[in-house]
Amino acid sequence: MDRLHTMGTQTDWVVMIVYLVAILLFGSYFSKYNHNTTDFFFGGRRFSWWLIAMSIVATGVSSHSFVKYSAKAWEYGFSSSMTYMNDWFFIPFFMFGWLPIVIYSKIRSIPEYFEKRFSPSARFFVTILQLLYLVGYIGIGFLTMGKAILPLMPPSINLFGIEINITLMGLIIVIAFVTGAYTTFGGQIAVLFTDLVQGFMLLLAGLMVFIIGIDYVGGWHTFWNLLPTDWKLPLAHFNKPSDFNFVGIFWQDGIAGSIGFLFMNMGLIMRFMSAKSVNEGRKAAVFNILFMLPVSAIVVSGGGWIGKAMSMLSNSPIPANTQPDFIFVVVANIIMGPGIFGFVIASLAAALMSTVNTLLNACSAVYVNDVYGPIKVWLKKRNKNDKVDEKRALLVARIATVAFTVLGVLAVIPFSSYPTVYEAHGYFHSTLTPPLVIAIFLGVFWKKFTPAGVIATVIGGISLMILGAYYPGVLISPFDHGTPMDPVHPYTYIGALYNTLVCLIVGVIVTLLQKQFISIANRIKKGSSHNLIIVTMIILSSMIFSMVIFNIGGVQFLFIASLFMTLMISLISTYYIKYDPVIKTEGLTAGSIHRAKELFKGSKLNEREGDIVKVNWKLREDDEDFINLSKHDMNKMYAEEGDLVYVTDARKYLGGLKSFHSRFGKPHNEEGIIYISREHVKNGLLIKGRPLTAEKEM
Amino acid sequence: MPSFFNTWLPFIYLYGVGGIFFFTGMILIRKLKGIDMRKKKHRFWWKVMFFGYFYFMLIHAILIIAALYW
């Protein structure tokens, strides 16, 4: 480890500090565009697809990052790229199921969807899972950042005569402070715009390492021939070894990870929520998966591949004791000149920061919308339909960001026990995503899925998952596809298959038994001792869940007890929750997207596709939310009074930063002129004299 | 020469099992009317989604062949 300290030169440090300060200032500049929590969290639902796509690259690439993929590339070759090339299977579900529902239902968080679709109690359980997922992700981000920067630091520094040892945890605390401060004041708009720059820088840095590295080892031909055949294969060995095998990673990343990333990663969902329309969101998703992810696979793994080729040279410059997680930094240091190495590391650190920023922002969004808001309503300090005090909500969001930064640092502790970040992340994904993934998936695509089904999926599913973690040899091994079980970290990846299956089976069975549960619940309600029966079932369920958590009793007993507990929880949920499947599925399932659009608009849809018109604006001295275009322009747009319209500054390179949504008002006769209100000018950040374009939405 | 477990078995599993999920999704969005084939934009996305599946399949097949024979 000693040799992996104090890398880089003074020039590198200067470059790094200048880069990070520039990014901070750039992000802070955009904080002025946050007027309310919608801007702070979602960027005001106004941006073009390319800005969203670039921003997703910075988040996706950095979260899956140089450190962990270079580590696996160094150990196993080109198959490190497989996680970047297996995200297409769920794109139909996402583009024509989840994405339109997220946008048209106007939800501000995933838990809010669960309240609308099921019940407040379903929202409560999902909020807990969602926050655990996000905080865990932040922990992984901090750990990765620490591992990327640690090799650059000296073993200790002398501050005012005090010798301070630089440890991984100490470094992570400093990083967390900077990241938390930046997100607290910047919000989503700052994140989006810094991501745009960072997305480019990241791709540039990764490609530079790969291209300069190939030149270093003697050109493409030499590079290709240095690598053994096994390392050139794009997919790993089917089921060996335990720390990197195809089938485990397929279920952990390709299935649980892909659905998790597309359906429940609030950071990503918020990116799509900031898109100006569903179609722009689709463009961003497709562009990202088809083009950016394959490029990103090279960008993030390149350091490891070059490192492996270097290690095959007769005078290998790679230190013998290099740990996989440090390979990217080691390779970059060897092949880059002073200053360029600093740039590469700065863009890596900045990109990781951007991932963590997004997640912190998502955490505070979930907190404000799903914890702070409902608690206020519950304590009767506010009516459900009252307007939110925006200033107060923004302050709460900022305080929450600080709190989640601290929790993120604490989450680093369990993950640091894994040999590589890749395995820590793999275990995290296969454990935390299945219950929520199944709950969302069945909620969106299965109209019959009930609140009892969701709650049973979460509690019963988690109970069976905990048992799987305690008894992997009994419960997970039947699904292991021949992958060996590592006794220290058993079934890190293939565990995802077992976890997903048990959650799915619980959700489906409970929903299919719904009629029986309703009938039993009604009989209990009619009985004189209904309170006693329900309280007894709650106590029994809590006892069984505690026994599962603390592993009291054998696997057979606990497994049967978990099933029994799941049935009781389903019955309790059915007893308490009033659920009208007609109201609760309207506009909230994939089968009712047309209705979702009608609810979004508030009237009948006008889906004739018209032209986009370019117009000059004139101010109307009021604050009403409608615009006035000429009859001629409205005809060109096939627009009618009351239709929704998107108006933006005509300069396309702004990506929708200066824009607003409104409705068509009464037409006038001044062709090429749009009348807008003072509120539109303020929210759209419009500049006098600049032409606008108007586009009918629906 | 790497074994079948290292070359084509992962490929078949990826596009076989992954394909089950993908085509189920395609059928489901048609059945649930999430996608409306009367709309020009939706017809375009329908083709893009099919294209994506075979695009990744082709990339992986080429990379396996390149690793084995080039």
Side-chain angles (χ1 to χ4, degrees), chain A residues 117-118 442 445-450 511-512 514 579 585:
Chain A
R117 170 74 175 84
F118 300 105
L442 292 181
F445 294 100
W446 196 21
K447 214 176 155 182
K448 288 183 179 168
F449 196 45
T450 58
T511 304
L512 291 176
Q514 195 56 42
Y579 177 70
T585 52

Side-chain angles (χ1 to χ4, degrees), chain A residues 678-696:
Chain A
R678 287 178 301 215
E679 198 63 20
H680 292 145
V681 178
K682 190 180 149 203
N683 285 338
L685 310 152
L686 304 180
I687 300 170
K688 213 170 180 184
R690 287 278 179 194
L692 307 175
T693 55
E695 181 181 354
K696 187 192 76 185

